[in-house]
Amino acid sequence: MKVLVLNCGSSSVKFQLVQTDEASAAAGRVHALARGLVENIGGLAILRYEAEGRKPLKETGEILEHKIAVERILGLLTRPDVGVIQDRSEIEAVGHRMVHGGERFKTSVLIDDDVLSGIEDCIDLAPLHNPPNIKGYRASRDLLLVPHVAVFDTSFHQTMPREAYLYGLPYVLYQRHGIRRYGFHGTSHRFVSRRMAEILGRADDPTLRVITCHLGNGCSITAIRGGHSVDTSMGLTPLEGLLMGTRAGDIDAGIILHVMVTEELGVTEANALLNKHSGLLGISGVSNDMRTLLQAEADGNDRARLAVDVFCYRLKKYIASYTGVLGGVDAVVFTGGIGENSPVIRARSMVGLEALGLRVDPARNDAARAVEADISPEGSTSRVFVVPTNEELLIARDTYHIVAGLSAE
Ligand code: AMP
């Protein structure tokens, strides 16, 4: 089955055309035929496209809305010189990344009118993300008359117990407005934790304790028991938890009130402060990009060093606390751009966790870049792994399972 995976942002559409069938979906060997990205929709857009055995392509042109972007993508997929299918009718299903599914969506689902209105009900919880996701769905629904499946960032975390998801606020806020921890990056945490369980040969073990660290521009960490999320660092919004590229992560909520008064900030400015001007960028004043910061640190920039130190310290604190939540840990998994590619960050975040049985082998750690690898010393009982994430693959796999009439995992 050929599945088109779409991830629509406010001015972008990321896509992958994936070939999958029952055996490959089960084995996790789903095959991408073509992939790409349209950016800056609404103006002079850039379309990047690459397909198996074809020359990569970059086009620039005015694309005013998502529907036209999807139309252009379908045009490339079927174009004789660069395409990978003859006709769009070969696409049998579409899988959509949806950010927020609230408490209603605990698994991936086939989208119908009722599901769509449920996703629209979650707009209040993700006002920046759900609307473009919905727009992308509407655009592609009109162009591809096939089953469409929603795969949510939040659904994996719906197994968290109440004590992990409730905030210390008046309970009525949870009842009236759904104020609670939802967690995000669920597709990535689910993908790498499942892969970890397979690597350890414990795929069906309800006692397996895994901590997954998704470290990219956005960062989150999840405690997983027997394949189920029991706690995660992002909260009602993707702002809580670890230090990120431009997001603050955990702060004393009182700071916001204090700074809004002292700096005379409105809600829009406070929002920008927390989401766009904080994190690695805010502390270092240099960059939100970890590679740039590590270089600046090596060149002697003290604020870059400080930002990296805060990043690693916060991560270590969470790993230790989730080890407590799980009553020990069988494996810690690093993924995302930083987690997969940076031995330095992995090593620095694990310093001091030896007492918990967690150790990194320097040579193995150094050698592991963007590949699956065990980076703990031989014979460790608690293991440390690098597992590259693949959210598109999981979206394609869920879509396949639902459309093929099987239940999603
Ligand atoms: P992502 O959002 O998953 O694409 O991750 C982006 C982040 O990964 C950026 O902060 C990059 O600087 C970081 N990154 C990518 N490669 C490396 C690397 N080799 N060393 C350190 N950070 C990296």
Side-chain angles (χ1 to χ4, degrees):
M1 180 185 289
K2 290 186 178 67
V3 176
L4 181 64
V5 176
L6 292 178
N7 178 354
C8 298
S10 56
S11 62
S12 66
V13 177
K14 205 169 157 190
F15 66 94
Q16 240 183 65
L17 182 67
V18 171
Q19 173 76 51
T20 179
D21 55 44
E22 196 166 342
S24 61
R29 284 191 302 272
V30 178
H31 181 60
L33 299 169
R35 70 182 86 210
L37 172 70
V38 187
E39 288 173 293
N40 204 31
I41 297 169
L44 197 61
I46 303 168
L47 193 161
R48 288 173 220 274
Y49 172 92
E50 55 182 74
E52 262 190 335
R54 313 279 197 206
K55 231 171 84 188
L57 202 138
K58 181 180 164 193
E59 289 182 349
T60 311
E62 198 170 72
I63 297 183
L64 293 181
E65 50 171 285
H66 285 69
K67 192 164 178 175
I68 298 170
V70 177
E71 197 51 278
R72 295 283 295 278
I73 293 165
L74 293 173
L76 286 174
L77 290 171
T78 51
R79 210 169 89 180
D81 57 334
V82 292
V84 286
I85 50 176
Q86 306 223 315
D87 190 272
R88 62 178 69 174
S89 63
E90 289 175 46
I91 299 171
E92 289 173 75
V94 184
H96 296 267
R97 179 200 180 206
M98 293 281 171
V99 168
H100 219 303
E103 288 190 327
R104 170 166 168 185
F105 298 108
K106 299 186 191 309
T107 58
S108 304
V109 284
L110 193 66
I111 310 179
D112 59 17
D113 288 348
D114 180 47
V115 166
L116 180 60
S117 95
I119 300 170
E120 284 170 339
D121 288 343
C122 297
I123 286 177
D124 276 353
L125 294 168
L128 297 180
H129 294 103
N130 273 23
N133 296 163
I134 292 168
K135 207 186 230 180
Y137 162 67
R138 288 186 194 280
S140 56
R141 174 188 67 178
D142 294 345
L143 297 168
L144 293 162
L145 302 174
V146 293
H148 289 249
V149 167
V151 179
F152 299 92
D153 271 19
T154 50
S155 61
F156 180 60
H157 301 299
Q158 278 296 302
T159 46
M160 276 187 289
R162 290 189 302 179
E163 63 269 26
Y165 72 66
L166 265 191
Y167 291 111
L169 291 166
Y171 193 73
V172 69
L173 291 178
Y174 168 60
Q175 292 172 309
R176 269 195 215 144
H177 306 295
I179 304 291
R180 52 159 283 181
R181 174 182 313 286
Y182 289 94
F184 297 87
H185 289 148
T187 316
S188 178
H189 291 292
R190 181 157 65 108
F191 179 83
V192 297
S193 62
R194 179 181 146 151
R195 183 70 200 121
M196 187 71 259
E198 285 167 1
I199 293 169
L200 295 174
R202 295 176 66 180
D204 299 316
D205 183 348
T207 66
L208 179 66
R209 301 155 303 178
V210 176
I211 296 173
T212 49
C213 311
H214 178 107
L215 312 176
N217 271 321
C219 300
S220 64
I221 174 167
T222 299
I224 299 160
R225 183 180 291 113
H228 301 294
S229 169
V230 295
D231 203 351
T232 192
S233 58
M234 284 179 166
L236 173 78
T237 73
L239 187 53
E240 193 181 348
L242 300 175
L243 194 76
M244 307 180 217
T246 59
R247 281 174 258 169
D250 291 338
I251 59 165
D252 171 359
I255 294 171
I256 307 164
L257 307 175
H258 182 78
V259 173
M260 283 177 82
V261 172
T262 51
E263 294 278 324
E264 298 180 13
L265 302 183
V267 173
T268 310
E269 290 95 344
N271 188 30
L273 176 86
L274 294 168
N275 279 294
K276 296 202 174 346
H277 307 298
S278 296
L280 292 170
L281 173 66
I283 296 176
S284 69
V286 173
S287 173
N288 63 322
D289 188 282
M290 186 57 89
R291 256 174 310 195
T292 310
L293 285 178
L294 290 170
Q295 186 55 53
E297 182 187 29
D299 295 341
N301 186 309
D302 188 53
R303 291 249 307 270
R305 171 181 298 277
L306 181 59
V308 176
D309 282 345
V310 174
F311 183 93
C312 296
Y313 176 77
R314 178 93 49 97
L315 179 57
K316 171 165 70 175
K317 209 158 89 166
Y318 263 99
I319 294 173
S321 102
Y322 283 178
T323 302
V325 164
L326 293 170
V329 60
D330 298 302
V332 171
V333 184
F334 285 94
T335 196
I338 300 171
E340 291 167 27
N341 296 296
S342 179
V344 180
I345 298 297
R346 296 190 297 249
R348 270 162 75 170
S349 321
M350 302 292 286
V351 170
L353 296 179
E354 298 81 5
L356 303 177
L358 291 165
R359 281 184 186 78
V360 168
D361 178 272
R364 287 179 168 190
N365 184 33
D366 259 8
R369 290 166 203 257
V371 288
E372 265 178 16
D374 181 352
I375 59 168
S376 38
E378 196 63 46
S380 309
T381 45
S382 296
R383 314 274 286 277
V384 187
F385 268 80
V386 176
V387 177
T389 194
N390 194 335
E391 293 166 87
E392 284 79 14
L393 188 151
L394 194 53
I395 294 173
R397 215 155 67 184
D398 273 7
T399 302
Y400 171 78
H401 280 137
I402 288 176
V403 173
L406 304 166
S407 63
E409 340 164 56

